[in-house]
């Protein structure tokens, strides 16, 4: 919902925030699920108004057994798209605790005057070297530094399982997608889920043209 009205189908996030996204590269994603998740993330990047001065800074990591930081917080869209496009599917375990701890470290490069949001996408429960307890500890520590949100991508990881990780109110910080392959068609819902201020893509494009013409 956007200002108590149904959200348009194609929107751009124009909020000012530091946003970290953790994507799942564990084996349970499957190659098709991994590709769908990566495509959804690329589409999401293209619907965000990136600007260190007035808009979004975005950072991305992937997690499996190891944690890989794809990009620290930046407003460089080309850099983000290149890093996301080039990254490979790890096919290993689900180190969610490690992902939460890495996000906390990445926030050190954030802006002090911008809200921080940390959003994790996962289709599995924590596994070696993480665990349910380890993930809970990581999430608790992270909540002290940012708003923690989770997109769960399998019925095997229900809302009730991930709710203890996220910030309050819990109902506003968990989004359920039934399969990783559905992430592309849900990307606009992900955008309005994480973003507190949106514009239609058409209005945003017009505003950009006006800004360029007067600059």
């Amino acid at each position: 919902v956007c200002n108590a009205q149904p959200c348009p189908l194609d929107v751009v996030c124009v909020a000012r925030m530091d946003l970290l996204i953790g994507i799942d590269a564990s084996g349970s994603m499957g190659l098709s699920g991994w590709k769908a998740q990566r495509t959804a993330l690329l589409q999401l990047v293209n619907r965000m108004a990136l600007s260190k001065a007035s808009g979004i800074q975005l950072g991305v990591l992937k997690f499996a057994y190891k944690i890989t930081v794809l990009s620290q917080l930046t407003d460089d869209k080309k850099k983000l798209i290149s890093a996301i496009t080039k990254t490979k599917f790890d096919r290993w375990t689900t180190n969610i605790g490690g992902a939460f701890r890495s996000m906390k470290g990445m926030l050190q490069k954030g802006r002090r005057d911008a809200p921080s949001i940390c959003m994790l996408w996962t289709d599995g429960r924590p596994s070696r070297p993480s665990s349910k307890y380890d993930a809970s500890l990581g999430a608790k520590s992270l909540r002290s530094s940012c708003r923690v949100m989770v997109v769960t991508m399998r019925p095997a990881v229900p809302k009730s399982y991930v709710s203890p990780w996220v910030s309050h109110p819990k109902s506003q910080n968990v989004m359920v997608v039934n399969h990783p392959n559905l992430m592309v068609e849900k990307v606009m819902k992900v955008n309005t889920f994480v973003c507190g201020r949106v514009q239609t893509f058409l209005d945003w494009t017009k505003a950009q043209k006006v800004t360029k013409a007067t600059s």
Side-chain angles (χ1 to χ4, degrees):
V1 176
C2 303
N3 299 319
Q5 299 297 323
C7 290
L9 292 177
D10 194 358
V11 296
V12 175
C13 180
V14 294
R16 188 171 191 271
M17 62 178 170
D18 287 338
L19 173 62
L20 296 176
I21 299 178
I23 59 172
D24 194 335
S26 65
S28 59
M29 288 290 293
L31 183 58
S32 63
W34 162 256
K35 288 181 177 179
Q37 177 188 223
R38 187 174 59 183
T39 298
L41 181 55
L42 288 167
Q43 291 181 357
L44 189 64
V45 171
N46 280 313
R47 288 297 182 270
M48 290 192 161
L50 300 175
S51 169
K52 185 174 182 178
S54 60
I56 299 167
Q57 284 200 125
L58 177 62
V60 180
L61 64 77
K62 68 173 179 177
F63 61 95
Y65 183 86
K66 295 181 179 180
I67 310 298
T68 304
V69 175
L70 305 183
S71 175
Q72 296 286 354
L73 285 164
T74 183
D75 61 357
D76 188 332
K77 183 173 288 189
K78 289 183 178 179
K79 178 182 175 183
L80 284 161
I81 289 174
S82 176
I84 295 164
T85 301
K86 291 176 181 177
T87 193
K88 305 297 183 183
F89 181 32
D90 289 352
R91 295 183 176 90
W92 202 236
T93 54
T94 314
N95 187 1
I96 290 175
F100 285 143
R101 286 188 290 275
S102 294
M103 284 180 167
K104 185 159 186 176
M106 292 169 72
L107 286 172
Q108 300 303 312
K109 298 181 182 296
R111 296 166 291 184
R112 292 187 177 182
D113 61 344
S116 298
I117 296 179
C118 301
M119 180 169 58
L120 187 88
W121 299 1
T122 185
D123 87 320
R125 301 186 181 207
S127 59
R128 191 168 59 91
S130 190
S131 65
K132 185 177 182 180
Y133 177 70
D134 176 65
S136 295
L137 285 180
K140 182 179 180 180
S141 177
L142 185 59
R143 287 196 302 272
S144 67
S145 301
C146 69
R147 178 183 176 183
V148 177
M149 310 177 80
V150 172
V151 177
T152 172
M153 299 181 284
R154 297 259 188 200
V157 192
K159 192 173 186 178
S160 59
Y161 188 90
V162 302
S163 286
W165 302 342
V166 304
S167 300
H168 289 283
K170 305 289 187 179
S171 61
Q172 294 180 20
N173 290 304
V174 180
M175 178 176 171
V176 176
V177 177
N178 287 327
H179 195 279
N181 289 350
L182 299 175
M183 285 299 288
V184 173
E185 67 181 68
K186 299 293 185 181
V187 72
M188 283 300 108
K189 288 189 176 181
V190 174
N191 202 0
T192 54
F193 168 63
V194 74
C195 186
R197 183 167 172 247
V198 297
Q199 279 186 326
T200 66
F201 179 68
L202 182 60
D203 287 346
W204 181 79
T205 302
K206 289 178 179 177
Q208 296 303 299
K209 289 180 178 177
V210 171
T211 300
K212 288 180 180 179
T214 55
S215 62

